[in-house]
Amino acid sequence: MENISPAEKYKFKRKIEELKDIKGQHTELISLYIPPKKQISDVMAQLRDEYSQSSNIKSKQTRKNVLSAIESIMSQLRYFKTPPPNGVVFFVGEGAKSGKQPKMMSQVIEPPMPISIYLYRCDSQFYLEPLEEMLEEKDSYGLLLIDRRECTIGFLFGKKIEMAAYLTSRVPGKHGRGGQSQRRFERLTEIAAHEWFVKAGKKASELFLEKDNLKGVLVGGPGPTKRMFLNQNYLDYRIADKILGIYDTGYTDEYGLKELVNNAANDLEELDIIKEKRIMNRFMEEVRSDSGLAVYGEEEVKRALEIGAVDMLILSDAIRKYKLKISCPSCGYSGETVSESDEDIKCPECKSPAVIEEKKDILEEYSDMAEQSSTKVEIISKDTEEGNILIKAFGGIAGILRYKID
Ligand code: ZN
């Protein structure tokens, strides 16, 4: 998930949430995961096989549903010569959100990261675990442990710690002989220490700079050496800028990496929250100072986006709204509407049930508009006080403008 935007990640998350809500009355919801390298012809062959086996299902209704789900997947697969770059997942079947009438559902998802499994499953709910795993944070951090004897360099990927390098120094211990040679010994020791820190700093900088998406660097070690090391700029300035925290650890070896991550855990969790708070505080400041640069509400933000005036679009992940294109079979009405649900939509003219022609999550709608004018999009969770204000007081849609508009 390293290379996708917050908006894309949000869209993907919402799709999974929606699918999770759907239950089949029987074993009739099909999930089909096709990894990038899979031959479509092999998949077709298996589907034909599943089709003939499913013809033996005893319940007539279930049999009919399963067969038509397989048919639907097969007819959609005909449009694929090969799977897309990250593979593709089909979710098809007769299912319902809780309390709603069951209907035929069909979702085709091209995930933001490559799928590694090939899987066909027919169950009373969709199988979503592989996609949910993709959503788990995969942020990477650099880890550096240093004292005068050892240096260990590693990475934290999501929750996984990996060691990248382990170096040891030839810096002699502090205690030399007494007298005249003591001073000489100390000088040599300091030269050796300087060389050691140069070497360690160079190695760490190299390894960290190779990683494109390093979110930050954590530094640890026992005693004051690590701070001295940082203060004297042994690290490349681009890496030094990424240091998130300095922590005491008892060890400077591989075990120390675990210690470092444990000690930093709370801070790492807070990072995202801090970023969100910072964005909201900036927005609130614009509101308070009456600078004319704050906008909020569906209409106002939309208007500002259309003329390309929005610098930063701020959306709450708590919004649950759709933009629907509807038509009415009774009176012929067709038009657009925004609704909190995508079920039981009534025609605004004659109040009879309308047909949904197109459905778009409102956040998707707004982030697509933002893309047109290279506006930054930030998605804010409702877990903080600030995030709560965004949804409660500003309807979950806000922005900071590039310039004042009327
Ligand atoms: Zn109507």
Side-chain angles (χ1 to χ4, degrees), residues 327-333 346-353:
S327 64
C328 175
S330 319
C331 74
Y333 169 88
K346 300 265 187 298
C347 167
E349 299 287 324
C350 71
K351 308 293 172 214
S352 58

Side-chain angles (χ1 to χ4, degrees), residues 141-145 151-157 160-167 200 203-211 214 252-254 257:
Y141 296 92
L143 308 172
L144 171 65
L145 296 166
C151 169
T152 303
I153 302 159
F155 292 98
L156 175 68
F157 298 111
K160 204 168 87 227
I161 296 171
E162 263 176 33
M163 182 155 115
Y166 174 71
L167 315 174
K203 185 74 186 171
S205 301
E206 256 172 45
L207 288 168
F208 292 159
L209 285 171
E210 277 171 15
K211 286 271 176 301
L214 210 60
T252 42
D253 57 5
E254 192 167 7
L257 292 178

Side-chain angles (χ1 to χ4, degrees), residues 279-293:
I279 291 165
M280 275 308 290
N281 286 338
R282 207 187 128 201
F283 171 72
M284 295 298 288
E285 194 48 50
E286 300 292 352
V287 173
R288 264 193 299 269
S289 67
D290 209 12
S291 61
L293 294 180

Side-chain angles (χ1 to χ4, degrees), residues 142-147 151 197-198 200-202 204-205 208 217-221 223-248 260:
L143 308 172
L144 171 65
L145 296 166
I146 183 129
D147 67 2
C151 169
F197 292 133
V198 169
K202 197 166 162 250
S205 301
F208 292 159
V217 173
L218 308 170
V219 180
T225 307
K226 53 189 178 297
R227 287 182 193 277
M228 186 281 303
F229 173 83
L230 295 176
N231 291 339
Q232 298 190 11
N233 302 321
Y234 287 109
L235 283 175
D236 186 289
Y237 70 96
R238 285 165 292 179
I239 298 303
D241 281 350
K242 290 194 167 179
I243 291 173
L244 297 172
I246 303 164
Y247 301 86
D248 284 318
L260 177 60

Side-chain angles (χ1 to χ4, degrees), residues 70-256:
I70 297 176
E71 275 167 25
S72 156
I73 296 175
M74 286 169 85
S75 72
Q76 294 181 71
L77 259 186
R78 290 207 178 90
Y79 296 102
F80 289 85
K81 277 201 183 77
T82 57
N86 288 336
V88 61
V89 194
F90 290 87
F91 296 103
V92 183
E94 176 93 358
K97 291 185 195 167
S98 58
K100 303 285 180 186
Q101 279 299 312
K103 60 179 182 192
M104 193 68 176
M105 315 255 176
S106 174
Q107 273 270 16
V108 184
I109 292 183
E110 285 184 33
M113 284 166 75
I115 306 167
S116 50
I117 53 160
Y118 172 65
L119 176 139
Y120 171 94
R121 183 173 290 189
C122 187
D123 206 336
S124 56
Q125 54 202 49
F126 291 123
Y127 177 65
L128 299 161
E129 275 85 350
L131 299 184
E132 283 171 332
E133 271 169 29
M134 284 183 190
L135 268 178
E136 280 173 19
E137 282 301 333
K138 290 271 168 26
D139 291 332
S140 57
Y141 296 92
L143 308 172
L144 171 65
L145 296 166
I146 183 129
D147 67 2
R148 290 167 75 94
R149 316 271 341 156
E150 287 180 317
C151 169
T152 303
I153 302 159
F155 292 98
L156 175 68
F157 298 111
K159 290 183 175 108
K160 204 168 87 227
I161 296 171
E162 263 176 33
M163 182 155 115
Y166 174 71
L167 315 174
T168 52
S169 83
R170 295 210 188 97
V171 183
K174 291 241 178 186
H175 304 290
R177 291 137 291 180
Q180 186 64 6
S181 62
Q182 174 68 20
R183 237 165 293 146
R184 185 179 138 74
F185 175 79
E186 278 172 10
R187 213 179 68 240
L188 288 175
T189 302
E190 282 326 298
I191 291 170
H194 171 71
E195 281 167 359
W196 159 242
F197 292 133
V198 169
K199 182 180 157 193
K202 197 166 162 250
K203 185 74 186 171
S205 301
E206 256 172 45
L207 288 168
F208 292 159
L209 285 171
E210 277 171 15
K211 286 271 176 301
D212 290 334
N213 295 298
L214 210 60
K215 254 196 141 177
V217 173
L218 308 170
V219 180
T225 307
K226 53 189 178 297
R227 287 182 193 277
M228 186 281 303
F229 173 83
L230 295 176
N231 291 339
Q232 298 190 11
N233 302 321
Y234 287 109
L235 283 175
D236 186 289
Y237 70 96
R238 285 165 292 179
I239 298 303
D241 281 350
K242 290 194 167 179
I243 291 173
L244 297 172
I246 303 164
Y247 301 86
D248 284 318
T249 62
Y251 296 85
T252 42
D253 57 5
E254 192 167 7
Y255 181 78

